[in-house]
Each structure stands twice: as C-alpha cells, then as structure tokens.
C-alpha cells in the first residue's frame, strides 16, 4: 500500500522567555492510503504539535529545525501560505476536540458546512448547500434539511461534534486529522463518533491520523499505532502488536493505567512527570519514571529495535545483552488472553 504522507526526521522548537523548548525531536512516520494511524501519548508528548505542522498551523513562536513533510512529492513545510490555504480543508482537513470553539456561534450550521466548498471548490451556493445537506445526513444529523438553518447552541455536544466532522469531510479530503475528537464527550457518544469515523472512512476513502491520550479509543479505530513520549515516537506497530505485545515500558504504563472490564480496585498510574524539554535528558527520556531502567538508559538514547517487520520499539530492554524483564502482571494477563504468551 502506497504512502500518502511521509514525515521524516521532524524537529520543532518553541521560542520562550525561558529558552527553546525542544517539543518535537526527530519524529518520523508515514500514513498509507486508506488507513488509520493513531498517535498516542500523555498530554505534552508532542502529538498535536506534530500534526499541526502537517497542516501548517504552528504557533508564531514555533521553529522547524529539521525535517520534511512529504505529500504527493512536495514538502509541505516549504510551501508558501497561499498554497497551504488551498490544501487545508480541501486535501488535508482537521477535526478539533472542542466543537463549541470550532463552530461560529453567529453563523447557521448550513453555511458553516458549505463554506469550505465555496472557498476551495468555487462551487456555486446552491450546489454547496446541497452538498452540505448530504454530508450532514451522512454524519447522522436528523432532519438535516430543516436543521441547516439552526445555530450551534441549538445542538447537543455529540451533534456539534458530528457537525465539526461534516465541515472537515465536506470536501472529501485525502487526509483527515482528528485531534482528540472524543475527549469532551461521554463514553456512549464517544463510541458513536468512533463508529461514524470508521463508516465515513469507508465511504469517502480518506486516510486518518487519530490523536488521543486514550489507548482504549485506539483499539476500535486504528490500523497502526505510534506511541509518543517527550517529543519522540518510542514505539510503533500494528494495533494488535502494540496492544497485545507491547515492548516499551512506557507503553506498558499506558496500558496498565487503562480501565477494562477486568479492572478491580485502583488503576496503576505512571509515577513521576515527563521531563523538562527546555533541557531534554541525555539518555532515554523515560528513564527517571521507568522501574525497569538500566544504567545505559541514563547515558545513551536507545535506537529502535525491530520486534517484527512492522513493529519497532526504542528501549534498551530489547538489546541482546539486556537482562530478561517481564512486563507488569496486568500486561502479561492481557498478552496471555490474546495468546501472545
């Protein structure tokens, strides 16, 4: 399957009064046509900054130190703003996590959904409104024709998120970036939105980058998963590999803190806090929080070790000379349940 997007060795700093924050540190990944790639990690791990660089939506104090973002053979990081305006919302679109801040409270829903078509497709107003109605029906807004005249405050939270999705897909983009699109919703509505996105992917054949801190959401939507920590990808692979055969202690920690039907009592939180990226650590950034850390972890950053042709993890525990370490009991139980151990 061909790559539709390739991010290569991306490094981004933010200029602050305290100094340069090294927010993204040598990040590489690709997105294949028609697949869903989930990028997972705690708040502050660099997920949103990474995808905003693809959209050309970085803050004014951001500085791209190195790397390329290749889309159809062109580096998006080198494109002038005028060309990015033509790509954003048309070829590559984005769903944000809070629908109320994404919608204009003074504009009817119909006009907001139709607007990208008027801007990018030079479609006449009548045709744009027809397409807007079709897409609102596609995302499950009841009585879409009548409700196009309503305003955002007249819809529930789940319906507003569906409208935000409609705006993002109305131009049938090749890439859809969803940045924590279910965080503000209750569990039942979350599940509906996930099902909707999978259905839309089949219908409009778009590729999806799904950003979340919740590994539980990932299992239901992703084909592949990239786990981020302290501005770096530290493990990536097929969704079943990362879920049922995780190799990085940070991934173990994320899975261990995820509630399941078998969860009893208190959840296990990852101890400590992420490092200060004003002055990133010399070795493995996770070492101070890692109960399995080796001496080399504080001295040298681990490379990626190949677990399989599709699964890689940056941890010294995979080095041939590393001592044998068993994952936490909950992770072992998960692996046994899925016949990995």
């Amino acid at each position: 399957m061909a790559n539709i997007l390739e991010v290569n060795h991306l490094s981004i700093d933010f200029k602050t009064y305290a100094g340069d924050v090294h927010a993204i540190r040598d990040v590489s990944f690709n997105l294949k046509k028609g697949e869903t790639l989930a990028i997972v990690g705690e708040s502050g791990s660099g997920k949103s900054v990474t995808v905003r660089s693809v959209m050309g939506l970085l803050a004014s104090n951001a500085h791209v130190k190195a790397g390329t973002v290749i889309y159809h053979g062109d580096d998006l990081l080198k494109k002038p703003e005028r060309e990015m305006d033509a790509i954003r919302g048309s070829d590559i679109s984005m769903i944000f996590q809070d629908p109320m801040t994404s919608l204009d409270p003074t504009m009817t829903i119909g006009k907001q959904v139709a607007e990208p078509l008027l801007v990018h497709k030079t479609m006449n107003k009548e045709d744009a409104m027809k397409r807007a109605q079709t897409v609102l029906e596609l995302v499950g807004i009841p009585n879409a024709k009548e409700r196009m005249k309503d305003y955002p405050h007249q819809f529930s939270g789940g319906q507003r998120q569906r409208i935000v999705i409609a705006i993002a897909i109305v131009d049938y983009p090749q890439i859809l970036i969803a940045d924590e699109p279910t965080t503000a919703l209750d569990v039942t509505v979350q599940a509906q939105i996930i099902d909707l996105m999978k259905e839309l992917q089949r219908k409009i054949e778009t590729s999806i980058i799904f950003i979340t801190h919740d590994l539980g959401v990932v299992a239901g939507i992703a084909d592949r998963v990239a786990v981020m920590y302290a501005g770096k990808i530290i493990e990536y692979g097929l969704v079943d590999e990362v879920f049922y055969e995780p190799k990085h202690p940070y991934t173990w920690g994320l899975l261990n803190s995820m509630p399941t039907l078998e969860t009893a009592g208190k959840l296990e939180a990852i101890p400590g806090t992420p490092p200060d990226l004003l002055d990133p650590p010399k070795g493995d950034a996770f070492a101070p929080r890692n109960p399995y850390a080796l001496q080399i972890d504080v001295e040298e950053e681990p490379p990626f070790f190949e677990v399989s042709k599709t699964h890689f993890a940056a941890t010294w525990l995979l080095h041939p000379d590393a001592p044998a370490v068993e994952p936490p009991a909950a992770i072992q139980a998960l692996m046994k349940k899925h016949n990995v151990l």
Side-chain angles (χ1 to χ4, degrees):
M1 199 182 299
N3 293 336
I4 191 170
L5 183 75
E6 295 179 2
V7 175
N8 303 305
H9 304 293
L10 184 66
S11 293
I12 300 172
D13 289 354
F14 283 89
K15 305 284 184 184
T16 72
Y17 289 115
D20 289 354
V21 176
H22 307 289
I24 304 299
R25 304 185 296 139
D26 195 23
V27 164
S28 298
F29 65 88
N30 60 62
L31 178 68
K32 299 182 185 303
K33 187 171 177 59
E35 79 162 342
T36 297
L37 170 70
I39 303 180
V40 183
E42 293 170 294
S43 296
S45 61
K47 309 181 301 294
S48 294
V49 174
T50 299
V51 295
R52 281 175 177 267
S53 70
V54 174
M55 292 288 289
L57 293 176
L58 291 172
S60 58
N61 65 330
H63 169 61
V64 179
K65 284 176 58 183
T68 57
V69 177
I70 306 299
Y71 173 68
H72 286 314
D74 293 331
D75 185 359
L76 297 182
L77 298 177
K78 293 181 178 177
K79 282 193 174 293
E81 186 63 18
R82 176 179 52 81
E83 291 186 29
M84 285 304 298
D85 279 343
I87 291 172
R88 278 193 294 260
S90 177
D91 286 27
I92 306 174
S93 198
M94 192 163 183
I95 303 167
F96 298 94
Q97 65 175 277
D98 186 350
M100 275 313 284
T101 59
S102 301
L103 296 172
D104 185 338
T106 68
M107 188 185 295
T108 62
I109 290 306
K111 287 182 178 178
Q112 292 191 59
V113 177
E115 189 174 35
L117 297 171
L118 298 171
V119 172
H120 294 294
K121 298 292 188 189
T122 61
M123 192 180 283
N124 66 53
K125 186 175 180 180
E126 183 181 354
D127 289 343
M129 293 301 278
K130 283 181 181 177
R131 170 81 77 84
Q133 180 186 329
T134 299
V135 173
L136 283 169
E137 291 169 350
L138 192 64
V139 300
I141 298 298
N143 305 313
K145 185 176 182 179
E146 292 75 22
R147 301 223 63 186
M148 284 174 67
K149 298 174 184 177
D150 290 343
Y151 292 85
H153 72 273
Q154 294 173 274
F155 294 84
S156 69
Q159 287 177 325
R160 287 195 294 262
Q161 192 61 291
R162 288 172 182 267
I163 292 163
V164 169
I165 293 172
I167 294 170
I169 68 163
V170 73
D171 240 350
Y172 298 164
Q174 294 192 40
I175 298 173
L176 180 63
I177 298 172
D179 189 2
E180 303 264 11
T182 62
T183 298
L185 306 174
D186 66 50
V187 175
T188 303
V189 179
Q190 276 188 17
Q192 292 172 0
I193 295 297
I194 294 298
D195 288 342
L196 170 63
M197 291 187 67
K198 288 194 294 185
E199 182 183 351
L200 291 174
Q201 185 175 38
R202 288 192 296 270
K203 288 182 176 178
I204 69 173
E205 299 181 333
T206 192
S207 303
I208 297 175
I209 301 177
F210 194 95
I211 306 299
T212 184
H213 65 273
D214 184 353
L215 268 170
V217 170
V218 169
I221 193 170
D223 299 302
R224 289 189 299 140
V225 180
V227 181
M228 284 194 78
Y229 183 76
K232 297 180 76 71
I233 291 175
I234 51 88
E235 182 164 8
Y236 64 94
L238 301 178
V239 65
D240 284 354
E241 292 174 326
V242 173
F243 257 82
Y244 307 130
E245 199 176 357
K247 296 299 181 184
H248 198 288
Y250 178 64
T251 312
W252 295 348
L254 289 178
L255 288 166
N256 214 18
S257 61
M258 184 179 73
T260 67
L261 292 175
E262 290 82 20
T263 300
K266 187 178 177 182
L267 291 172
E268 293 290 332
I270 301 174
T273 57
D276 183 355
L277 293 182
L278 279 166
D279 184 23
K282 179 182 175 184
D284 185 346
F286 188 59
R289 307 175 69 187
N290 182 6
Y292 308 94
L294 307 172
Q295 180 59 39
I296 194 172
D297 280 308
V298 297
E299 298 170 354
E300 191 174 339
E301 195 172 293
F304 275 109
F305 291 92
E306 182 179 309
V307 182
S308 74
K309 294 297 182 184
T310 53
H311 186 191
F312 298 82
T315 170
W316 286 115
L317 292 177
L318 292 176
H319 190 281
D321 297 333
V325 170
E326 291 189 343
I331 305 302
Q332 291 189 53
L334 185 69
M335 294 168 75
K336 284 178 181 176
K337 183 178 179 181
H338 293 272
N339 299 316
V340 176
L341 283 181

